[in-house]
Amino acid sequence: MLKYRNQGHINTSSTACWIALACLVVPMFASYFFDDMFSTLSHIFQHPEMLALGWDSADYGFYAGGYSFLCVCGGLVICGVLLDMFGVRVVGSVFVGLMILGAAMVSAALLSGLDPGTSLTIAYIGCMLFGLGSEIAGVAVTRSIAKWFKGRNVALAMGLQLAIARLGTATAFILSPILVAEKPYGEIYTLTETARPALAGLCMLFAGGILWAVFVAMDSRFDKDAGITAARGKVKDEDKFRFSDILKVLTNPRFLMIALLCVFFYCCIISFKKFGTAIVIPRFGMEVDSAKWMISMIPFFTVIFTPLFGAMVDKAGKATGWMMTGAVLVLASHLIMAFAPQGTAFWGYLAISLLGIGYSLVPSAMWPTVPKIIPEKNLGTAYSLIYWIQNMGMLLVPIFVGRIFKTTVTEAGNMTQEVQAAFNAELIFIGLGIVAVIVASALIVSSRRHPELEIDLPNKK
């Protein structure tokens, strides 16, 4: 039996904490896999005549943007408030279920055999539901880690959660091209072949739902042993959630800087991954298989470095400095991908390596900083607002990039056009990276002006 012990705040044994974390990471692993299942297959949408599905690059970009539609329309904010009002067990369970439902709709649309417009509409709706469910489930997971690891290695725990979740992305990058084997031009990808990654992701999501249920049982015991349930009716007035707290969060300058850094930084990476192979294949003269492994370096780097950087932030602090370093590395990566010599694979590997390291640094420092500037009772709302702002970019950027490829590549197999499309897409990511560096600089200045917030101090007590 896993016993609880009092250390001046709600806490549990180390064993219980790590078991809870193990249950939390699987739904996120499955979510990342499903979200990135087409990332290393993005090039096939440049040839819709080869797809029984009939989607082109613009359709794929439209579908990818559906992930963020409901989030941007206010779903994340409303659900984040509900999370603070009713807790992670109730609200989190609803949205883990919604994530699975949305994935099932996408899978059904891919297999439906309906005309491209109709199947795209159904898949878009499914992607909207999956996206909202995934984001709120992610908020619930992050909030739960902050609760269970309070006063412990919270950055390490969040880093491990991110690393394992991104291993889902790496798995998608590698497994999807195996499930959908490359075909010579002129042969048709059947509906079943195209849907295989979605069906694999759906099975993973079902497994994640089962482990989420295990966590819910553990969290209920956590609260019971800590006396939280019994004291629910005696919550101090200052600890009660109020809707005015939303305004307090949104007017917190440090919160706004973190939210803006999040949207510009993540769009440089998450939106890039959606079109990764379509960019690196023409820019660096690569075969599909080599490009697949190159893009897979991004999540593999984060699997290795995110927990290490998280432990470093816990012990040494300096969170804002690491955020700046990560943002600069990501900007440098996109500058290399845009302006490095054409057809030289070395520059592609260098750029992706820098992208992977930057992708590890910023989240390791950023997510554990939020509990330092936002009261614990408002963490669900705060994380949801950050994801809401982030999803504005994730809704729009894939649409713009998809249209760049559609309008620039007008002739199948025209390498000149494909190179130009990749370059034009990289200009978008460079612009986003520049803004991310500017915001990170402002956050450093703000932290130095407000040392009482202890943003740059170590997390571990």
Side-chain angles (χ1 to χ4, degrees), residues 5 48 65 147 222 230 237 272 316 337 360-361 400 436:
R5 64 175 184 266
K147 169 185 173 181
F222 178 102
D237 186 63
F272 166 79
M337 279 190 273
S360 304
L361 267 174
F400 286 126

Side-chain angles (χ1 to χ4, degrees), residues 18-251:
W18 294 114
I19 292 175
L21 181 63
C23 293
L24 291 170
V25 299
V26 176
M28 293 296 96
F29 174 96
S31 169
Y32 275 57
F33 178 94
F34 196 89
D35 186 37
D36 282 310
M37 61 185 176
F38 285 135
S39 292
T40 45
L41 298 172
S42 59
H43 58 283
I44 70 174
F45 294 102
Q46 294 181 19
H47 307 291
E49 68 279 4
M50 294 177 58
L51 294 171
L53 185 64
W55 295 5
D56 60 25
S57 292
D59 294 330
Y60 169 61
F62 178 73
Y63 159 79
Y67 179 98
S68 301
F69 183 82
L70 290 177
C71 302
V72 171
C73 289
L76 259 175
V77 179
I78 295 170
C79 298
V81 171
L82 293 175
L83 200 63
D84 280 335
M85 294 178 68
F86 299 106
V88 297
R89 294 195 296 273
V90 174
V91 178
S93 297
V94 169
F95 286 95
V96 168
L98 190 65
M99 181 169 63
I100 296 171
L101 174 62
M105 287 187 64
V106 172
S107 301
L110 295 174
L111 289 167
S112 66
L114 298 171
D115 65 89
T118 303
S119 65
L120 178 62
T121 300
I122 296 172
Y124 188 82
I125 294 171
C127 193
M128 288 194 301
L129 297 177
F130 168 78
L132 182 61
S134 181
E135 291 295 295
I136 294 298
V139 174
V141 166
T142 304
R143 198 181 191 284
S144 297
I145 293 173
K147 169 185 173 181
W148 279 69
F149 284 85
K150 184 177 181 181
R152 295 179 181 268
N153 298 320
V154 63
L156 173 61
M158 289 187 178
L160 283 169
Q161 187 274 130
L162 279 171
I164 296 172
R166 289 172 183 170
L167 188 58
T169 292
T171 304
F173 285 177
I174 295 169
L175 184 60
S176 290
I178 295 174
L179 294 174
V180 185
E182 185 74 12
K183 293 190 174 186
Y185 185 78
E187 292 190 19
I188 302 297
Y189 292 93
T190 67
L191 295 174
T192 301
E193 288 173 330
T194 308
R196 283 173 185 167
L199 295 174
L202 184 58
C203 291
M204 295 177 193
L205 286 166
F206 276 121
I210 293 171
L211 285 177
W212 172 263
V214 174
F215 169 77
V216 167
M218 291 184 65
D219 196 62
S220 178
R221 176 63 184 273
F222 178 102
D223 286 356
K224 181 180 178 181
D225 286 9
I228 296 176
T229 303
R232 190 172 293 278
K234 302 178 181 179
V235 177
K236 294 180 181 179
D237 186 63
E238 63 268 24
D239 290 335
K240 294 179 180 178
F241 176 84
R242 295 180 175 85
F243 284 97
S244 60
D245 291 338
I246 300 175
L247 184 60
K248 292 180 181 178
V249 171
L250 285 173
T251 54

Side-chain angles (χ1 to χ4, degrees), residues 265 268-269 272-273 276 279-280 283-284 294-295 297-298 301 324-341 345-359 422-423 425-431 433-434 437:
F265 174 81
C268 285
I269 300 169
F272 166 79
K273 288 189 299 179
I279 291 174
V280 301
R283 275 292 291 124
F284 303 112
M294 178 183 284
I295 299 299
M297 289 171 57
I298 299 173
F301 264 73
M324 166 63 86
T325 303
V328 169
L329 288 175
V330 168
L331 174 58
S333 170
H334 285 296
L335 286 169
I336 291 171
M337 279 190 273
F339 297 106
F346 166 79
W347 296 108
Y349 284 109
L350 175 61
I352 295 299
S353 297
L354 295 177
L355 197 68
I357 295 172
Y359 195 22
F423 175 78
E426 276 302 319
L427 293 180
I428 293 180
F429 297 125
I430 289 170
I434 291 172
V437 170

Side-chain angles (χ1 to χ4, degrees), residues 368-435:
T369 298
V370 178
K372 292 184 176 183
I373 61 175
I374 300 295
E376 186 173 352
K377 64 170 182 170
N378 300 134
L379 279 180
T381 300
Y383 281 122
S384 296
L385 286 168
I386 291 174
Y387 287 151
W388 175 55
I389 295 170
Q390 173 188 320
N391 274 273
M392 292 181 186
M394 290 170 62
L395 171 68
L396 297 174
V397 174
I399 294 175
F400 286 126
V401 175
R403 289 195 174 277
I404 284 174
F405 278 97
K406 182 178 181 178
T407 57
T408 307
V409 183
T410 58
E411 181 182 344
N414 188 318
M415 185 55 65
T416 301
Q417 292 181 347
E418 292 180 9
V419 170
Q420 186 63 48
F423 175 78
N424 292 345
E426 276 302 319
L427 293 180
I428 293 180
F429 297 125
I430 289 170
L432 294 170
I434 291 172
V435 179

